[in-house]
Amino acid sequence: KELAITLEERWGHSTQPRPEGKLVWIHAVSVGEGAAALPLISKILERAPETNILVTGGTLAAEEWRRYRYPGSVIRQSVPIDTRGAVQRFIAHWKPDIGVFIESELWPNLIDEAHKKGVRLFLFGARMSSKSAKRWQWPVANAMLNDALSKFQIISPRDIEQCRRFEQLGVPSGTLGSPCDLKLIASVAASTTNAE
């Protein structure tokens, strides 16, 4: 049954209703990215407990991890595959007010559709390996990358080195926010909680 639901969601067919009110959507595909997003989720709920939070993940392992560690109010769903139809169904159903992408999950159709529908997009803990950066420097690839990145209001790289890398790829300095290592924040938060 869970696998059938996951497949439906992957095609953009949401299996849960959209709650009324503001909805913040966090795109964190892996277990590590899901863990990195946890302090952000906690802070949002602390400051605005009425906010609805939707988290999209991409693996069964990530879903299993979130099930036991996320607050019960957080809506969990599989991310739709990055085809035009699937992402249109997903965005039309959830109508997020804000979209937060974690680290390196750049899905062109998903980003484009969210931007078209007026979703305010942010990329936190942004990172890219030197190998990937070299591939993105090819003119056609670089144009595609910059088109996707231009749709984010703020891109906050993981550290200074990553900040320089994104600048070299053509991201305007005005778009780049302060470095933000979400995994470091998550590990500190976890160790603090365990010590209490």
Side-chain angles (χ1 to χ4, degrees):
K1 183 180 178 182
E2 286 185 9
L3 181 58
I5 289 174
T6 299
L7 290 173
E8 282 288 297
E9 292 177 347
R10 294 288 281 170
W11 284 104
H13 299 287
S14 299
T15 57
Q16 303 175 69
R18 188 213 190 277
E20 293 184 6
K22 182 172 287 189
L23 187 140
V24 174
W25 159 44
I26 299 175
H27 181 52
V29 173
S30 69
V31 172
E33 289 160 1
L38 189 51
L40 175 62
I41 291 169
S42 299
K43 185 59 68 175
I44 292 170
L45 292 176
E46 177 187 315
R47 294 191 175 186
E50 73 285 356
T51 302
N52 301 297
I53 297 178
L54 165 70
V55 178
T56 48
T59 68
L60 292 175
E63 168 55 23
E64 190 70 11
W65 186 91
R66 292 179 177 107
R67 179 182 300 174
Y68 295 105
R69 288 172 175 81
Y70 277 8
S73 60
V74 173
I75 305 164
R76 307 181 316 274
Q77 176 169 323
S78 294
V79 64
I81 57 175
D82 203 44
T83 63
R84 186 63 64 185
V87 301
Q88 284 177 344
R89 285 188 289 271
F90 172 82
I91 296 296
H93 176 79
W94 290 108
K95 300 180 179 64
D97 297 282
I98 292 173
V100 178
F101 283 57
I102 303 297
E103 294 193 347
S104 57
E105 295 300 332
L106 300 176
W107 298 42
N109 287 320
L110 189 58
I111 292 168
D112 186 58
E113 184 63 21
H115 183 259
K116 282 181 179 176
K117 296 302 186 215
V119 182
R120 297 172 59 206
L121 296 173
F122 301 85
L123 176 57
F124 290 159
R127 64 180 177 84
M128 184 176 295
S129 68
S130 58
K131 187 176 180 180
S132 293
K134 286 178 182 177
R135 286 200 302 265
W136 283 115
Q137 285 175 345
W138 289 91
V140 174
N142 189 256
M144 291 173 58
L145 176 67
N146 279 300
D147 180 64
L149 294 177
S150 70
K151 295 174 171 66
F152 289 95
Q153 294 194 2
I154 294 176
I155 296 172
S156 182
R158 186 174 64 180
D159 52 35
I160 294 297
E161 179 185 351
Q162 292 292 332
C163 192
R164 292 195 191 100
R165 192 164 288 165
F166 279 93
E167 283 181 331
Q168 290 167 358
L169 287 168
V171 177
S173 57
T175 304
L176 292 172
S178 300
C180 173
D181 188 341
L182 290 174
K183 284 182 178 172
L184 177 61
I185 294 170
S187 66
V188 170
S191 63
T192 302
T193 301
N194 293 335
E196 289 176 353

